[in-house]
Amino acid sequence: MKKWLLLFVFVIAPLVGLIYWRLTVKKAETAAQDTQRKARLAAPPAVKFAVVTTKDIVHTFDGVASIESPFNLKVSPKVTGRLLTVLVREGDVVKAGQVLATIDPADVDSEIARSKATVAEAKSRLAQAQLNQSPTDTNILSEIRKQEAAVASAQADYNQAKQNFNSQVSSAESAVIDTQGRVNVAQAAMNSAESSIRSAQANLDNSKSKFARVTDLYKQGFIAAQDVDDARTMVSQMSSGVEVANGALASAKAQKDSATAQKGSAQQQVDIVKTKGKADIDASLARLKSAQASLDYAKANRAQKPAFQANLDALRSAVDAADAALRTSEAHRTDTILTSTVDGRVTGRFMDPGATAVPGNPVISVQSVKMLWASAPVPEESSRYFYLGQPATVTVDALPNKTFSGKVVQINPSADAQSRQFLVRIGLENAANELKAGMYAHVHAVLNTDKNALIIPREAMGPGGIAMVLDEKNVAHKTLIKTVPADEINVQVTGGLQLGQRIVVLSAFPVKDGQTVKISEGNPKP
């Protein structure tokens, strides 16, 4: 009994007293904290403010552009023929008037020879007629027979021209039909390749599903690791099958594109053959009509001197016409030499010697490089600030430490129908040939400046355009304001505030409308 009494006196009683004291202290601390919290809630919030000030705001345009050449010359021939030489390659510097390529002049030389023979024949006829200034019945009869022979020859030429026209057109159209067949074959190959892709993809998907099931069974210990490896190998094989099928599709597409291009060339050849054939037929018909007219005239004016004189005039006209045809043929001789009309660099070589050059198909591409354009799409809201001669700076990613200065040289007055943006071109001097057509560029231009614009810090703006404005008694008033972007730090005030007003930018607690606030240290003087 005495032992328990001692235990209560020296252990239990002090422990109970300590617990009671601790509970009393904790309750007092909780009451003090509640009192402090209520005091803080009742106290005015501490805030920092900014003063509405003015600043000159410079509005700029920063956009992307593409470097372009103002002159992109596509050199194509005026006559059809086989290319003998192509004297330049991509990157070569060329001058205006420099020979770029030559076409075999054999056909043109043949035409010139025929024209010379026609001139000689016409002059011979004229000279023969001039020797017979005093015509007789025999001479007139001879002239009639000569004209009949001329009519027969012209008729034969006309018939031959029509026959050649039909034959050449049939041959050219057969080439079109043949290329269409190759297009169809390529399309069938594409269809087959697409079917193979779908089949290979289905096999790949099935192997992936099987691999997932095998992996799951392996993790559960139901199958061996070799089964997982086999399933993985099957997935790899099926993936390869998909890649092979895709390659077959790409090859079939390339074959179709090639066949389509060949069909276009064959169709163009049909048009050329038809045009030339019709011209030959018309020329033959004109000669036939001319010969028939000469024959009719000779028959109708037998033994008449005026008729003989008219025949002389007709022969002189024939000589003039033959001379004109000869000059035209000789002019075609110069068309077999392709030259550049601008100073620049070769940017494309589309044919090699031995290929057939036809009008409208370019052989060489030449771009002027002394002056280049930076072409930039500009939004509607910025386009009205651009004007011709406006300075701008251009940088390109390929030359990170270089800045090029230029001026606006073109402004497209019509916006792009898709993007609703206007194309602005900036002229750039390229004497050092540092810029290349096709480079990716960045454009910077100063558009306009707003003088003495009202500004506030961006953090002063609350949700929905609401700002808390302080009056002279430090009472906050909720105010709706209008702003537009100014720079990275400030916004421009367009309505709702006046110069010199104070606006809350930072507070420890949310500030309510009509609440008196406490100004923190470090604020600017109003």
Side-chain angles (χ1 to χ4, degrees):
M1 184 64 179
K2 183 177 180 180
K3 181 178 180 181
W4 283 104
L5 181 61
L6 292 174
L7 179 62
F8 176 80
V9 172
F10 292 103
V11 177
I12 298 177
L15 180 60
V16 172
L18 179 61
I19 293 173
Y20 177 78
W21 174 80
R22 183 59 182 168
L23 291 175
T24 303
V25 171
K26 185 64 177 178
K27 183 176 181 181
E29 289 177 352
T30 302
Q33 290 176 355
D34 290 340
T35 301
Q36 292 176 1
R37 182 176 59 81
K38 292 178 180 179
R40 284 196 302 269
L41 292 175
V47 301
K48 288 187 177 182
F49 65 85
V51 179
V52 180
T53 60
T54 60
K55 178 184 178 181
D56 293 343
I57 299 176
V58 178
H59 296 281
T60 61
F61 169 79
D62 290 281
V64 297
S66 179
I67 302 300
E68 299 176 352
S69 172
F71 298 104
N72 189 358
L73 175 66
K74 304 290 186 182
V75 182
S76 60
K78 294 182 180 179
V79 296
T80 300
R82 181 175 60 87
L83 282 174
L84 283 181
T85 60
V86 181
L87 304 176
V88 293
R89 288 193 175 276
E90 292 86 345
D92 290 350
V93 178
V94 298
K95 299 291 184 181
Q98 179 176 336
V99 176
L100 305 178
T102 59
I103 297 175
D104 187 354
D107 293 340
V108 178
D109 289 343
S110 298
E111 182 182 347
I112 292 175
R114 287 194 298 270
S115 297
K116 287 182 178 180
T118 303
V119 170
E121 182 182 359
K123 288 182 177 180
S124 175
R125 289 181 179 178
L126 177 59
Q128 184 67 32
Q130 289 173 337
L131 291 176
N132 299 317
Q133 292 279 333
S134 302
T136 62
D137 291 340
T138 302
N139 291 336
I140 293 176
L141 181 61
S142 176
E143 182 64 24
I144 290 175
R145 290 175 178 173
K146 186 190 299 182
Q147 295 301 328
E148 288 174 343
V151 169
S153 176
Q155 182 66 53
D157 290 343
Y158 175 67
N159 294 337
Q160 184 63 39
K162 290 195 295 183
Q163 183 178 357
N164 291 343
F165 172 76
N166 295 330
S167 176
Q168 292 172 354
V169 169
S170 297
S171 177
E173 289 177 343
S174 296
V176 173
I177 295 172
D178 180 66
T179 54
Q180 180 60 49
R182 288 198 291 271
V183 170
N184 295 338
V185 170
Q187 182 62 52
M190 286 177 59
N191 296 337
S192 176
E194 289 173 347
S195 177
S196 297
I197 289 174
R198 290 191 294 270
S199 176
Q201 185 63 49
N203 291 336
L204 176 59
D205 295 339
N206 183 50
S207 63
K208 287 182 177 179
S209 299
K210 182 177 180 180
F211 175 73
R213 291 193 301 270
V214 169
T215 302
D216 185 58
L217 292 174
Y218 172 74
K219 291 179 179 179
Q220 296 178 29
F222 293 113
I223 61 175
Q226 180 61 42
D227 295 331
V228 177
D229 294 338
D230 293 342
R232 183 181 296 107
T233 301
M234 181 60 67
V235 171
S236 177
Q237 291 176 351
M238 294 301 103
S239 298
S240 299
V242 173
E243 293 176 357
V244 170
N246 284 325
L249 177 59
S251 175
K253 287 183 178 179
Q255 292 177 0
K256 181 182 178 182
D257 294 340
S258 175
T260 302
Q262 292 176 1
K263 178 185 175 183
S265 177
Q267 185 62 54
Q268 189 176 34
Q269 189 63 30
V270 170
D271 297 337
I272 293 172
V273 168
K274 287 183 178 179
T275 301
K276 185 177 183 303
K278 289 180 180 178
D280 292 340
I281 291 174
D282 293 340
S284 299
L285 181 60
R287 288 194 295 270
L288 175 60
K289 291 180 178 179
S290 176
Q292 186 63 52
S294 298
L295 175 61
D296 294 341
Y297 190 83
K299 290 180 178 180
N301 296 281
R302 292 180 180 180
Q304 294 184 13
K305 189 174 182 179
F308 185 78
Q309 186 60 46
N311 185 52
L312 287 178
D313 294 339
L315 292 175
R316 292 189 183 95
S317 298
V319 171
D320 293 339
D323 282 334
L326 176 59
R327 289 193 296 271
T328 300
S329 298
E330 291 173 341
H332 288 166
R333 186 65 168 76
T334 63
D335 293 337
T336 61
I337 301 175
L338 306 183
T339 60
S340 175
T341 57
V342 298
D343 295 341
R345 284 182 176 270
V346 177
T347 58
R349 170 171 164 157
F350 310 112
M351 293 185 183
D352 293 319
T356 300
V358 296
N361 283 0
V363 178
I364 297 292
S365 174
V366 179
Q367 291 188 6
S368 175
V369 295
K370 289 184 178 180
M371 169 69 74
L372 295 177
W373 287 338
S375 300
V378 176
E380 290 180 273
E381 60 272 15
S382 300
S383 62
R384 59 191 179 97
Y385 294 106
F386 279 90
Y387 57 89
L388 294 179
Q390 181 178 1
T393 58
V394 176
T395 58
V396 294
D397 293 346
L399 302 170
N401 298 323
K402 295 282 293 186
T403 299
F404 300 88
S405 298
K407 293 183 179 180
V408 175
V409 294
Q410 282 189 11
I411 302 174
N412 194 331
S414 176
D416 181 81
Q418 300 296 327
S419 64
R420 300 300 179 186
Q421 294 186 327
F422 294 81
L423 187 66
V424 175
R425 288 193 169 105
I426 298 156
L428 301 172
E429 293 289 343
N430 192 33
N433 198 32
E434 294 178 294
L435 296 174
K436 302 292 188 296
M439 280 185 169
Y440 184 80
H442 303 272
V443 174
H444 174 80
V446 176
L447 301 181
N448 67 314
T449 302
D450 289 339
K451 297 288 186 180
N452 298 323
L454 296 179
I455 63 168
I456 60 173
R458 288 179 177 269
E459 58 266 25
M461 284 290 299
I466 299 297
M468 303 304 294
V469 179
L470 301 178
D471 61 15
E472 61 278 2
K473 296 182 179 180
N474 294 334
V475 176
H477 299 279
K478 183 186 296 185
T479 304
L480 178 64
I481 62 176
K482 297 180 180 179
T483 62
V484 293
D487 52 38
E488 296 179 354
I489 301 175
N490 303 307
V491 293
Q492 180 181 350
V493 179
T494 59
L497 293 178
Q498 296 180 358
L499 180 63
Q501 285 185 302
R502 299 179 299 165
I503 184 169
V504 175
V505 296
L506 182 64
S507 63
F509 299 98
V511 179
K512 299 179 180 179
D513 186 28
Q515 185 177 17
T516 301
V517 301
K518 177 183 178 182
I519 306 301
S520 300
E521 296 182 359
N523 275 282
K525 294 182 180 181

